[in-house]
């Protein structure tokens, strides 16, 4: 008895393999795991035009035969006939997405070069046509040297022709199949581009425009400077646009404090409300406009389709430090918060790649640092311009973000050569369509972001600030003694100050960075509360935080504080997530030590250089 003939569906993720599988087999499928691995083996039966039954298997999506994950390893072994117990497929059905043809043809060429009987399903032609692109399957077939059938898997269009081609596939003259492409990845990429261009029957102006946009935005030399220029503009806007809103919020809070002071008798309760709640928490809330502006830009970049292009551009740059574009999305989410960023590393198959990404994620400037940076910049960096339309404050903020990115890249480079040795893996990704960001989605996304920020202010920041206020307010000072000197928090700060004074930190900073472990923004509310408690004691007029900072801190101290926050892992939740995602304490402790070490060294270097420069 001859064995049952087999065919396999293979191609990039999301090409529509499973949809074609269902169309070809009527979804009569048997699902089991491949022996030894937890990758699903999906097989079903279909019939050739001759009536002959064929076992069709649906393989997991893959970008190349050079496996980067267990799924891809199974795909590679099956198509090469290396998988124990799995016969090499008699026919390969290579599925490509017509709307992403150029990328999918890279892997398709590698599969065709195996020299097996092969049919290409040019799937999702409906999507390509929606985008204004009509492709010529015959031209593509001539270029690839194998039959190419246009299909729309979900509408069962082209299925009959595909089955027919599969039936004829074993009659293919394999020796006559001309060399489809070069063997190296750059050669295949180039060939993919030429073949795609050659297969275009018609293209509408919108599609042509999008293709032109890609040509510029993804250009190896133009792409990166455009990305950096865009980021630069974002940070300019964060300062320039937020100021009127932040001032209004600030005015509102000051007015509230005035109201409470007028309406309540002096005492502990009034102090609690004015110094702890309104001054402390309020000092963080005023940064809401900045957060909203930053996220408006990030959301617009995501929804317009540009973000995936940014990942593509970064892939090349990240390869230099041993990371791949796969790390880009986790690292990008870390700009909002390292916690979702670290959780998103689950999509990185290589364990060392993933570990490195987890360890450097806290260096990405999370939104919790923004209030800290913004308050110090507002107090110490003059709101002047250093060129046409270039504000110095925005420039410094941009510099701090860049410092975090450079720090992360250097850390990754070192980690990849030491504790997480390994090379970079290749990465090809789908490009979504360009579109105008839908206003509704933007509004919803912004509202969610703003709400996350306000909820933090109302919970963790509130609690940490109140706890600090209590520790600052008791025991009460003797007449003539300063309240801070007398308080519990003051004693703790004196101890911390011994370690931190060499890097230029004063007692207020020493006091603020402990509660800031709960959340970085607490550094701001803690400073505000500390000065409020101190001020009340000296019976000073109520003053804002910024004039207090200007009066009490030297510029080198302020700069050292900024440098500290670029590196310091001031966030217990991030440490906890790192522990969960690495299954133990080893890596989170490593992370704490190396980041606090870097924070101390760089704050110190900043302080001493600033002092030496006479700032
Ligand atoms: N419009 C359109 N959508 C399609 C077509 N083929 C598949 N899809 C859709 O594209 C998405 C991905 O299809 P799948 O069949 O899951 O892709 P796959 O290649 O099996 O993906 P992986 O298993 O992840 O590698 C699904 O939402 C399908 O419904 C098509 O020809 N036209
Ligand atoms: Mg599938």
């Amino acid at each position: 008895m001859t064995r049952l003939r087999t065919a396999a569906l293979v191609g990039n993720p999301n090409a529509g393999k499973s949809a074609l599988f269902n169309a070809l087999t009527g979804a009569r499928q048997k699902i089991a795991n491949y022996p030894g691995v937890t990758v699903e083996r999906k097989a079903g039966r279909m019939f050739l035009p001759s009536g002959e039954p064929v076992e069709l298997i649906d393989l997991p999506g893959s970008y190349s035969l050079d496996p980067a994950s267990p799924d891809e390893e199974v795909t590679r072994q099956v198509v090469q006939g290396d998988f124990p117990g799995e016969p090499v497929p008699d026919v390969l059905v290579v599925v490509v997405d017509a709307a992403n043809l150029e990328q999918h043809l890279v892997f398709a060429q590698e599969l065709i070069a195996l020299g097996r009987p092969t049919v290409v399903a040019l799937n999702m032609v409906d999507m390509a046509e929606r985008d204004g692109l009509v492709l010529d399957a015959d031209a593509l077939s001539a270029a690839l040297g194998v039959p190419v059938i246009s299909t729309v898997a979900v509408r069962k269009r082209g299925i009959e022709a595909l089955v027919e081609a599969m039936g004829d596939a074993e009659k293919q003259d394999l020796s006559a199949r001309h060399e489809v492409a070069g063997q190296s990845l750059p050669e295949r990429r180039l060939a993919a581009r030429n073949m795609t261009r050659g297969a275009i029957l018609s293209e509408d102006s919108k599609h042509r425009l999008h293709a032109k946009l890609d040509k510029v935005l993804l250009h190896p030399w133009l792409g990166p400077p455009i990305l950096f220029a865009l980021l630069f503009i974002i940070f300019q806007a964060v300062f320039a646009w937020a100021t009127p809103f932040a001032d209004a919020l600030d005015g509102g809070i000051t007015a509230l404090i005035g109201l409470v002071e007028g309406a309540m008798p002096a005492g502990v309760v009034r102090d609690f409300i004015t110094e702890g709640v309104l001054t402390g928490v309020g000092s963080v809330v005023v940064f809401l406009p900045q957060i909203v502006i930053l996220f408006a830009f990030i959301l617009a970049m995501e929804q317009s389709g540009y973000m995936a292009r940014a990942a593509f551009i970064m892939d090349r740059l990240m390869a230099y430090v041993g990371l791949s574009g796969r790390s880009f999305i986790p690292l990008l989410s870390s700009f909002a918060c390292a916690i979702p960023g670290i959780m998103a590393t689950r999509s990185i198959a290589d364990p060392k790649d993933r570990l490195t990404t987890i360890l450097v994620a806290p260096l990405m400037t999370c939104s919790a640092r923004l209030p800290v940076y913004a308050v110090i910049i507002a107090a110490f960096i003059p709101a002047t311009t250093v060129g046409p339309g270039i504000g110095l404050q925005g420039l410094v903020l941009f510099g701090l973000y860049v410092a975090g990115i450079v720090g992360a890249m250097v850390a990754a480079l070192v980690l990849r050569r030491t504790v997480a040795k390994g090379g970079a893996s290749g990465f090809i990704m789908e490009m979504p369509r360009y579109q105008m960001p839908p206003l509704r989605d933007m509004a919803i996304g912004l509202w969610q972001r703003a709400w996350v920020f306000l909820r933090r202010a109302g919970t963790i920041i509130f609690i940490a600030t109140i706890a600090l206020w209590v520790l600052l307010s008791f025991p009460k000072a003797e007449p003539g003694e300063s309240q801070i000197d007398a308080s519990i928090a003051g004693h703790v700060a004196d101890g911390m100050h011994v370690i931190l004074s060499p890097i230029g930190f004063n007692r207020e900073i020493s006091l603020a960075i402990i509660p800031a472990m709960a959340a970085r923004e607490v550094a701001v509310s803690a400073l505000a509360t500390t000065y409020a408690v101190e001020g009340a004691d000296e019976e000073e007029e109520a003053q804002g935080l910024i004039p207090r900072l200007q009066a009490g801190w030297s510029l080198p101290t302020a700069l050292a504080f900024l440098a500290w926050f670029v590196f310091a892992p001031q966030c217990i939740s991030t440490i906890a997530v790192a522990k969960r995602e690495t299954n133990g304490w080893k890596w989170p402790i490593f992370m704490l030590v190396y980041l606090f070490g870097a924070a101390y060294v760089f704050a110190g270097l900043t302080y001493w250089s600033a002092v030496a420069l006479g700032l």
Side-chain angles (χ1 to χ4, degrees):
M1 194 185 89
T2 53
R3 69 174 178 84
L4 188 61
R5 318 188 65 72
T6 57
L9 290 161
V10 55
N12 289 49
N14 270 324
K17 296 176 294 299
S18 300
L20 268 179
F21 177 88
N22 292 340
L24 287 165
T25 61
R28 288 178 297 268
Q29 51 183 271
K30 281 205 315 266
I31 299 178
N33 273 353
Y34 280 101
V37 280
T38 54
V39 176
E40 252 180 25
R41 181 184 189 278
K42 237 172 101 182
R45 182 163 296 196
M46 60 171 285
F47 296 91
L48 294 180
S50 60
E52 196 185 352
V54 170
E55 183 181 48
L56 182 68
I57 54 177
D58 179 18
L59 288 168
S62 184
Y63 291 103
S64 75
L65 291 176
D66 184 15
S69 70
D71 279 14
E72 296 194 354
E73 174 63 9
V74 166
T75 298
R76 184 192 68 76
Q77 290 185 347
V78 172
V79 297
Q80 294 190 328
D82 293 341
F83 201 93
E86 185 80 73
V88 57
D90 298 300
V91 180
L92 287 181
V93 180
V94 177
V95 187
V96 295
D97 171 1
N100 276 301
L101 188 59
E102 190 174 325
Q103 283 139 42
H104 286 209
L105 280 180
V106 177
F107 183 33
Q109 292 173 74
E110 202 179 351
L111 292 165
I112 293 167
L114 291 173
R116 314 265 328 142
T118 305
V119 178
V120 170
L122 180 62
N123 194 38
M124 306 218 196
V125 287
D126 57 331
M127 298 298 272
E129 281 165 23
R130 180 207 63 186
D131 292 355
L133 179 69
V134 183
L135 292 164
D136 181 353
D138 293 337
L140 198 56
S141 169
L144 290 168
V146 296
V148 176
I149 313 294
S150 298
T151 59
V152 179
V154 286
R155 307 226 184 297
K156 297 198 166 44
R157 251 168 61 190
I159 300 304
E160 242 168 70
L162 184 62
V163 173
E164 207 163 297
M166 286 171 72
D168 294 339
E170 283 179 274
K171 293 185 226 126
Q172 282 173 11
D173 183 0
L174 300 175
S175 64
R177 187 183 294 173
H178 54 84
E179 199 55 50
V180 282
Q183 295 302 305
S184 76
L185 184 59
E187 281 169 339
R188 283 201 298 270
R189 280 194 177 141
L190 184 68
R193 172 178 310 176
N194 291 332
M195 281 190 255
T196 305
R197 227 175 263 168
I200 293 174
L201 267 184
S202 78
E203 196 184 14
D204 72 8
S205 58
K206 193 160 129 211
H207 192 270
R208 215 170 292 133
L209 174 73
H210 291 176
K212 276 202 187 111
L213 264 178
D214 267 348
K215 209 164 276 164
V216 176
L217 296 177
L218 297 179
H219 190 275
W221 298 111
L222 292 177
I226 293 174
L227 174 60
F228 283 100
L230 192 64
L231 294 177
F232 181 82
I233 292 170
I234 294 175
F235 291 111
Q236 288 291 319
V238 164
F239 264 95
W241 299 354
T243 311
F245 300 101
D247 286 350
L249 266 176
D250 203 22
I253 291 164
T254 311
L256 255 177
I257 294 175
L259 269 179
V260 172
E261 281 178 341
M264 286 179 72
V268 174
V269 178
R270 193 180 85 176
D271 288 350
F272 169 80
I273 295 175
T274 57
E275 296 168 1
V277 180
L278 291 175
T279 307
V281 178
S283 66
V284 174
V285 171
V286 293
F287 292 101
L288 181 64
Q290 259 137 338
I291 303 253
V292 168
I293 291 171
L294 181 64
F295 279 106
F297 277 105
I298 292 182
L299 283 172
M301 281 167 73
E302 272 174 3
Q303 302 200 339
S304 63
Y306 182 69
M307 206 56 109
R309 271 101 185 158
F312 182 82
I313 294 167
M314 292 307 292
D315 183 48
R316 223 187 316 248
L317 302 179
M318 283 163 67
Y320 290 115
V321 299
L323 287 174
S324 72
R326 279 177 219 268
S327 302
F328 181 79
I329 298 294
L331 291 180
L332 192 78
S333 337
S334 303
F335 277 103
C337 174
I339 294 165
I342 288 173
M343 292 195 315
T345 62
R346 288 179 192 175
S347 66
I348 304 172
D350 179 65
K352 298 253 170 84
D353 227 349
R354 176 164 182 234
L355 177 64
T356 310
T357 311
I358 292 176
L359 289 175
V360 305
L363 282 165
M364 295 293 129
T365 306
C366 64
S367 56
R369 282 180 178 92
L370 190 56
V372 182
Y373 288 168
V375 79
I376 301 296
I377 289 175
F380 292 96
I381 307 296
T384 51
T385 56
V386 290
I390 304 173
L392 184 60
Q393 294 185 328
L395 190 64
V396 171
L397 186 64
F398 179 68
L400 288 166
Y401 274 76
V402 171
I405 296 169
V406 171
M409 296 298 120
V410 172
L413 196 66
V414 173
L415 292 169
R416 288 301 255 165
R417 283 171 194 205
T418 52
V419 295
K421 255 199 194 86
S425 53
F427 169 68
I428 303 170
M429 87 187 273
E430 314 297 316
M431 297 295 157
R433 282 194 331 138
Y434 286 109
Q435 61 169 2
M436 280 304 288
L439 281 180
R440 208 184 112 79
D441 294 357
M442 286 277 298
I444 293 173
L446 275 183
W447 166 246
Q448 284 170 341
R449 276 290 150 202
W451 178 238
V452 166
F453 176 72
L454 291 175
R455 210 177 45 207
R456 270 168 75 82
T459 52
I460 186 158
I461 295 168
F462 177 80
I463 292 166
T465 308
I466 295 312
L468 180 68
W469 178 83
V470 171
L471 295 176
L472 277 168
S473 303
F474 300 99
K476 283 288 174 206
E478 303 292 329
E481 190 188 10
S482 116
Q483 176 56 41
I484 308 285
D485 284 343
S487 70
I488 301 172
H491 288 297
V492 176
D494 286 337
M496 289 288 293
H497 192 211
V498 176
I499 311 167
L500 295 172
S501 61
I503 59 170
F505 283 13
N506 54 29
R507 192 172 66 169
E508 284 75 19
I509 299 180
S510 311
L511 208 156
I513 62 178
I514 299 179
M517 284 302 291
R520 286 182 174 87
E521 301 98 322
V522 173
V524 175
S525 60
L527 286 171
T529 301
T530 306
Y531 282 116
V533 170
E534 205 170 58
D537 187 67
E538 291 157 12
E539 285 174 13
E540 277 177 15
E541 281 296 296
Q543 258 188 9
L545 176 58
I546 286 176
R548 299 284 190 126
L549 294 174
Q550 287 166 335
W553 293 23
S554 70
L555 181 58
T557 293
L559 296 177
F561 186 62
L562 288 176
W564 170 272
F565 264 85
V566 171
F567 297 95
Q570 300 249 231
C571 179
I572 291 170
S573 319
T574 302
I575 306 296
V577 170
K579 180 200 166 254
R580 198 179 68 204
E581 297 294 316
T582 60
N583 289 319
W585 278 113
K586 179 177 162 196
W587 293 113
I589 288 173
F590 177 86
M591 189 157 105
L592 273 174
V593 171
Y594 107 86
L595 287 175
F596 270 130
Y600 195 86
V601 168
F602 281 97
L605 284 177
T606 305
Y607 180 71
W608 288 108
S609 339
V611 168
L613 289 171
L615 293 179

